[in-house]
Amino acid sequence: MTPTLRRKLEALAERREELERLLSDPGVLADNDRFRNYSREFAQLEPLANAMTEEKKARDDLAAAQAMRDDAELAELAEEEIAAAQARLARLDDELMLLLLPKDERDEGNLFLEVRAGTGGDEAAIFAGDLFRMYARYAERQGWKVEVESDNPGEHGGYKEIVARIVGRGAYSRLKFESGTHRVQRVPETESQGRIHTSAATVAIIPDVEEVEDIVINPADLRVDTFRSSGAGGQHVNKTDSAIRITHLPTGVVVECQTERSQHANRDKAMKRLKAQLLDAERSKQQAAQAESRKLQVGSGDRSQRIRTYNFPQGRITDHRVEGLTLYDLPNILQGDLDELVDRLSREYLADELARLTEAA
C-alpha cells in the first residue's frame, strides 16, 4: 500500500475516533438529525477500524516471530509464524484497499426497474416480459418486494413497457449494473420457418433515494394527464380516470402510475419516480464526465449501450462489458438465478475502482 493510501486510512481512523466523541456529546444527542448522520458514518467506518486493529495485531505478531529467529530452538516455529503473519498482512492489505473505496450510499436502498421493448416488434415485447420476470424472480429469491407501478402489455404477450419498484435491503447494489440494451437471439413462436431473429429490450435501474424529497420542480414545467387504468385493481380503477401521466417538459421525461385506486395516490407515486429519474440523470451525467472509459456505468448509464446477449439456441448469455463473461446457463438465469452474473460484474467493478484508486495515489 502506498504512503498516500496509508495516510487516507489513518485519517479515516481519526475521523472514527472523533465521531465516537461526538456521539456522546449532549448537544448531538439532543439533535436527532445530527445523531442519525453521525451514527450512520460511524457504522460505515466500523469495518475499517476492525481491519486496522487486526492489522496492528498481525504486525505485532510478525515482529515477535522475527525476534524468535535468534533462538535456535524456536527458529523453525518462528519461520512458520512469520509466514502466517505475512499472509494475514497481505489479506488485510487487500481488505483495507477495498474499504478505502468510496461508498455509494444508494447501495442499500430500493430501486425503480423500467423494462421497455426495443427493436423487434412483438418478439421484443415478449422478451421484455421475459426480462421482467427474470428480475421479479430474482427479487423473490432475495426476499424483496416487487410493486408494479405501470405497464403496457404487448399484443402477443410480454410488455411494450413495464415499470416496477423493488423494495429490499441492498437491492440497488445487486442490480445497478443491469441498465442498458439487452439483446435476444432465438426463434420466435410466430416464426414458421424456424429462423433465428434478433430483438432487443432496454432496462433502466434508477435508485429510489431519500434526496428526491429535496428536489423542487416548478409546476409550470409539468403536464399532467389522467386516463383510465388498464391494470389490476378491480372494477373501481377501470371505471374512473385515476391513472396519472406526468410529462416534465424541459427534459421530456414521462412517468405513469395506475396501480392505486385514487388519482392523488397515483400522482404522489408518479412524482416520486419523476424526481428519482431527474436526480439519477444528473448524477449519471456527472459520472460520465468524470469517467468516460468506465466499462460498468452505475445508475442509468448509457441505455443505448448493448450490454448483454441472450442466445437461446446455444443456451448462452454473454455480457459484452467484461471479457470472457459468458455463461451457458440461460434457462436458470431466466428463472432468476442471477447471482453468478451479478457477482462477476461486482468484482469487475471493484477491480476497476481499485485500479483507479491506486493510480490516483
Side-chain angles (χ1 to χ4, degrees):
M1 184 180 297
T2 66
T4 302
L5 294 178
R6 176 60 59 180
R7 285 194 294 273
K8 287 183 180 180
L9 274 177
E10 292 168 353
L12 289 171
E14 291 173 4
R15 174 58 178 167
R16 181 184 173 278
E17 292 178 2
E18 179 186 9
L19 287 167
E20 195 168 18
R21 291 192 297 272
L22 286 169
L23 287 169
S24 61
D25 184 290
V28 173
L29 291 169
D31 186 330
N32 288 336
D33 288 340
R34 288 177 67 197
F35 183 79
R36 182 173 62 254
N37 291 336
Y38 288 156
S39 296
R40 185 183 298 144
E41 187 181 355
F42 182 84
Q44 289 173 346
L45 292 174
E46 189 73 10
L48 184 143
N50 292 339
M52 291 189 73
T53 299
E54 190 177 344
E55 184 193 45
K56 183 180 183 306
K57 185 177 185 307
R59 290 190 186 283
D60 291 342
D61 291 345
L62 177 61
Q66 288 171 334
M68 290 166 53
R69 272 177 166 166
D70 297 333
D71 189 325
E73 294 182 1
L74 298 175
E76 186 175 345
L77 176 62
E79 292 301 328
E80 292 177 3
E81 294 194 2
I82 287 170
Q86 288 174 336
R88 279 167 59 204
L89 285 169
R91 174 181 61 78
L92 287 165
D93 192 70
D94 291 341
E95 186 177 327
L96 286 166
M97 287 279 285
L98 288 174
L99 290 168
L100 273 175
L101 294 177
K103 298 292 186 295
D104 189 340
E105 294 183 357
R106 303 172 296 175
D107 275 353
E108 292 303 304
N110 309 322
L111 61 92
F112 293 106
L113 165 68
E114 302 180 355
V115 184
R116 293 181 174 85
T119 55
D122 291 336
E123 171 63 11
I126 293 170
F127 178 52
D130 293 339
L131 287 177
F132 177 74
R133 281 187 292 276
M134 177 181 76
Y135 293 124
R137 286 166 179 160
Y138 181 66
E140 182 180 350
R141 288 169 179 245
Q142 303 300 314
W144 302 335
K145 184 178 179 182
V146 179
E147 304 170 346
V148 175
E149 297 209 341
S150 66
D151 61 15
N152 184 4
E155 293 179 7
H156 297 281
Y159 299 98
K160 295 178 182 177
E161 174 186 310
I162 183 166
V163 178
R165 182 170 179 254
I166 296 181
V167 180
R169 185 183 179 93
Y172 182 71
S173 69
R174 298 297 288 169
L175 293 177
K176 63 184 178 181
F177 302 119
E178 294 301 302
S179 291
T181 297
H182 297 239
R183 187 178 67 167
V184 63
Q185 295 172 327
R186 64 182 173 189
V187 178
E189 294 179 6
T190 54
E191 170 60 58
S192 58
Q193 299 183 24
R195 292 175 299 187
I196 296 174
H197 286 226
T198 298
S199 305
T202 60
V203 173
I205 303 294
I206 300 168
D208 179 11
V209 292
E210 294 178 0
E211 297 99 296
V212 296
E213 301 302 331
D214 300 327
I215 296 179
V216 178
I217 297 179
N218 186 345
D221 290 339
L222 303 177
R223 185 177 72 237
V224 181
D225 301 307
T226 60
F227 59 99
R228 189 158 298 179
S229 172
S230 59
Q235 295 181 350
H236 176 81
V237 295
N238 294 322
K239 291 181 178 178
T240 64
D241 291 339
S242 59
I244 288 286
R245 180 185 298 112
I246 300 178
T247 304
H248 186 246
L249 299 175
T251 61
V253 173
V254 180
V255 293
E256 293 181 2
C257 189
Q258 55 179 289
T259 56
E260 301 299 318
R261 290 171 60 91
S262 78
Q263 191 179 110
H264 179 74
N266 280 326
R267 182 188 174 98
D268 285 346
K269 276 192 168 184
M271 281 299 296
K272 184 174 183 181
R273 187 151 57 85
L274 173 62
K275 290 179 178 181
Q277 286 205 30
L278 295 177
L279 179 61
D280 187 57
E282 183 59 32
R283 280 182 168 170
S284 296
K285 191 186 304 180
Q286 293 170 359
Q287 289 170 347
Q290 293 167 359
E292 293 182 3
S293 62
R294 181 172 294 186
K295 287 183 288 184
L296 297 174
Q297 290 287 351
V298 180
S300 64
D302 180 1
R303 297 175 198 174
S304 64
Q305 178 193 13
R306 188 192 70 184
I307 65 168
R308 194 174 296 151
T309 296
Y310 304 70
N311 185 295
F312 276 70
Q314 298 178 20
R316 167 174 55 83
I317 182 167
T318 300
D319 197 291
H320 305 289
R321 296 165 295 179
V322 180
E323 186 176 355
L325 182 42
T326 295
L327 303 175
Y328 288 87
D329 194 23
L330 184 55
N332 286 326
I333 288 172
L334 287 174
Q335 289 298 318
D337 189 5
L338 290 173
D339 278 331
E340 184 177 358
L341 190 60
V342 169
D343 288 342
R344 289 280 298 275
L345 291 169
S346 296
R347 288 198 298 271
E348 185 75 14
Y349 174 73
L350 287 175
D352 286 348
E353 292 296 294
L354 280 172
R356 270 189 286 274
L357 182 67
T358 305
E359 291 169 4

